[in-house]
Amino acid sequence: MPERRRIRTLTDSPRAPLTPADPGFWRSPVRGARFTAVLGVVLLAGLTLLFVTGLLSYAAYNPDLNRVNDKTPGKGWLGFYLFSWPTGPHWLYRLTQGLHVTVGIVLVPVLLAKLWSVIPRLFALPPARSVGHALERISLLLLVGGALFEFLTGLLNIQLDYLFPGSFYTLHFYGAWVFLAGFVTHTVLKLPQAVRVLRNGIPRGEPDTLAAPDPLPATLSRRGALAMVGAGSLLLLITSAGRSFDGPLRRIALLTPRGGTDPGPGPNAFQINKTAAAVRITPADTGPRWRLTVRGPAGEFQLSRAELLAMEQYSAALPIACVEGWSTSDQLWRGVRLSDLAALAGYPDRPPGVFVESLQRSGSFRKAALRDNQVRDGRSLLALEVNGAPLSPDHGYPARIIVPAAPGVLNTKWVETLTFGEL
């Protein structure tokens, strides 16, 4: 009978030091198939939600409407699912993007624990024992690399730190599809096994291939390790989710910009992403000489703020919700309906979309396009006031767009020109 190959351990001296490719190198007693399966099922649900809400966020930008909205112009057939983003319910984008960012933050400890639990397999030799094993290893490369890339770029975007080269929108969009390829492949290969382990455990007589062959004495149970992961996720939830709510919850959202910040008192005291000073909007730009230009088949019109205030005014209670995941509660906006301005431009019935241009001279989304359904909604306004007071400079004085369910960047501030029907 051939002699059984003995697994070398850290105590086997004076043999050569163990390498990560040697099973005996990994000695944590916590690793195991059931531990990994629990984390995998949590990630299956969470990452699926992240992907769906991410696609919804991209659709909300109306990228197929106009090139200025499309920050990923080379998307090709990857944009097959795009649809006309609705205006109701008015909190739709606040919900979908809030979930996207919050779930992403909360899943960080789960993702790290899952990667830790399977790291011995990343070093296993030979790299591929069969076609099926090679496919599994390739899916792991796409899955792990894609997940780390998506989480890193997403977390940096939440913090408004753009350390990576290129556009966040393009990188995050393509990275999501690369990740999905690995995610789907890995799920097809591993989900049946994970379900069996969770239902029945490891069958008697079969080895637990994720467990250490020569574990160290246990200092923490697997349940305790899962509890630690859950506690980490709960802590991240408490210190980040509040950026979408007012009051005490917002004040403890310490990990996200526009979360725990105190905007101060007054009608304009709610969160903003960029100030007038940051984009070089001066009092001379927004003073008495400011005029709104409205263009359409009826010609070109210029309206002062006083003339806009003299038009019939409407009110709408709408939030501001941004791609970084933060949002405000409903603010009471008042101004001229976009549909009324479209009628002035020559579209009295069923107005088309509108191309909006800001006084802002540089930066993303200083120009944006809105769909016809957004213009036609009676809550879509060229807002002149908020919460009973004139807009502050940082909130877009002298006039800004506010549209139900639209991402914050499409609610253009410091509006200079509205062109109806040319998208």
Side-chain angles (χ1 to χ4, degrees):
M1 179 179 293
E3 182 181 354
R4 292 184 64 183
R5 181 169 174 257
R6 182 171 175 268
I7 296 174
R8 293 184 292 124
T9 70
L10 294 176
T11 58
D12 289 337
S13 62
R15 295 190 180 187
L18 298 177
T19 68
D22 194 315
F25 182 87
W26 308 98
R27 304 190 65 194
S28 171
V30 174
R31 288 191 180 90
R34 190 174 184 84
F35 180 78
T36 298
V38 171
L39 296 172
V41 169
V42 173
L43 285 175
L44 175 62
L47 293 175
T48 300
L49 179 61
L50 283 185
F51 187 76
V52 171
T53 53
L55 292 184
L56 290 176
S57 179
Y58 188 61
Y61 280 66
N62 291 326
D64 60 340
L65 179 64
N66 188 283
R67 62 183 180 84
V68 300
N69 287 21
D70 190 359
K71 302 303 177 183
T72 312
K75 63 184 181 297
W77 60 268
L78 292 179
F80 69 93
Y81 73 95
L82 293 173
F83 57 95
S84 299
W85 187 251
T87 57
H90 72 278
W91 38 260
L92 178 61
Y93 191 73
R94 186 183 185 192
L95 172 66
T96 60
Q97 194 60 12
L99 280 174
H100 183 75
V101 173
T102 300
V103 172
I105 293 173
V106 168
L107 285 180
V108 168
V110 185
L111 176 67
L112 295 178
K114 176 67 159 57
L115 293 178
W116 173 86
S117 74
V118 298
I119 196 170
R121 288 190 172 178
L122 301 181
F123 294 92
L125 295 176
R129 297 188 299 269
S130 64
V131 173
H133 186 238
L135 183 61
E136 178 187 342
R137 296 300 293 270
I138 293 172
S139 74
L140 274 177
L141 178 64
L142 296 176
L143 178 67
V144 174
L148 291 176
F149 179 82
E150 288 296 284
F151 273 79
L152 179 61
T153 54
L155 291 172
L156 287 173
N157 181 62
I158 294 168
Q159 299 298 330
L160 306 180
D161 289 329
Y162 301 101
L163 306 179
F164 39 83
S167 165
F168 163 75
Y169 299 96
T170 304
L171 294 172
H172 207 64
F173 179 78
Y174 284 122
W177 287 103
V178 170
F179 161 76
L180 182 67
F183 181 62
V184 170
T185 304
H186 191 73
T187 299
V188 170
L189 292 172
K190 292 298 182 182
L191 183 59
Q193 178 183 344
V195 171
R196 285 196 302 270
V197 168
L198 290 175
R199 284 180 175 176
N200 307 315
I202 302 294
R204 181 174 297 180
E206 290 188 14
D208 185 342
T209 57
L210 286 172
D214 184 25
L216 293 169
T219 57
L220 180 70
S221 69
R222 287 171 181 166
R223 287 186 179 181
L226 289 173
M228 286 184 62
V229 173
S233 291
L234 179 61
L235 179 62
L236 290 176
L237 176 66
I238 293 171
T239 54
S240 62
R243 72 201 178 288
S244 297
F245 303 93
D246 292 332
L249 286 177
R250 189 180 294 278
R251 289 194 289 274
I252 63 173
L254 305 177
L255 298 183
T256 53
R258 316 296 179 260
T261 55
D262 182 4
N268 280 267
F270 53 96
Q271 281 65 27
I272 58 172
N273 227 10
K274 53 188 175 186
T275 65
V279 295
R280 297 185 177 88
I281 300 292
T282 67
D285 296 323
T286 60
R289 297 178 61 183
W290 173 85
R291 295 292 185 273
L292 172 72
T293 300
V294 179
R295 297 191 183 111
E300 180 174 302
F301 305 88
Q302 291 197 331
L303 302 169
S304 67
R305 182 176 162 87
E307 289 171 321
L308 289 167
L309 286 167
M311 297 177 67
E312 190 169 0
Q313 304 290 295
Y314 293 85
S315 297
L318 300 173
I320 296 288
C322 262
V323 68
E324 293 89 6
W326 66 267
S327 62
T328 73
S329 58
D330 289 356
Q331 309 298 321
L332 186 61
W333 307 90
R334 189 166 177 80
V336 182
R337 293 189 304 192
L338 291 182
S339 57
D340 290 345
L341 291 168
L344 177 66
Y347 293 101
D349 301 311
R350 297 192 62 79
V354 62
F355 186 68
V356 185
E357 298 175 77
S358 173
L359 289 169
Q360 180 183 341
R361 299 305 178 210
S362 61
S364 296
F365 293 102
R366 63 188 182 276
K367 300 178 181 179
L370 298 175
R371 289 188 182 275
D372 53 358
N373 65 308
Q374 293 173 310
V375 173
R376 293 169 189 170
D377 193 299
R379 298 165 294 177
S380 297
L381 304 175
L382 179 73
L384 306 171
E385 299 179 350
V386 64
N387 298 324
L391 296 170
S392 68
D394 289 341
H395 279 298
Y397 181 90
R400 70 169 296 164
I401 297 294
I402 186 73
V403 173
V409 290
L410 297 185
N411 292 314
T412 309
K413 297 193 285 189
W414 312 292
V415 175
E416 181 179 40
T417 304
L418 299 175
T419 304
F420 290 91
E422 296 183 10
L423 300 179

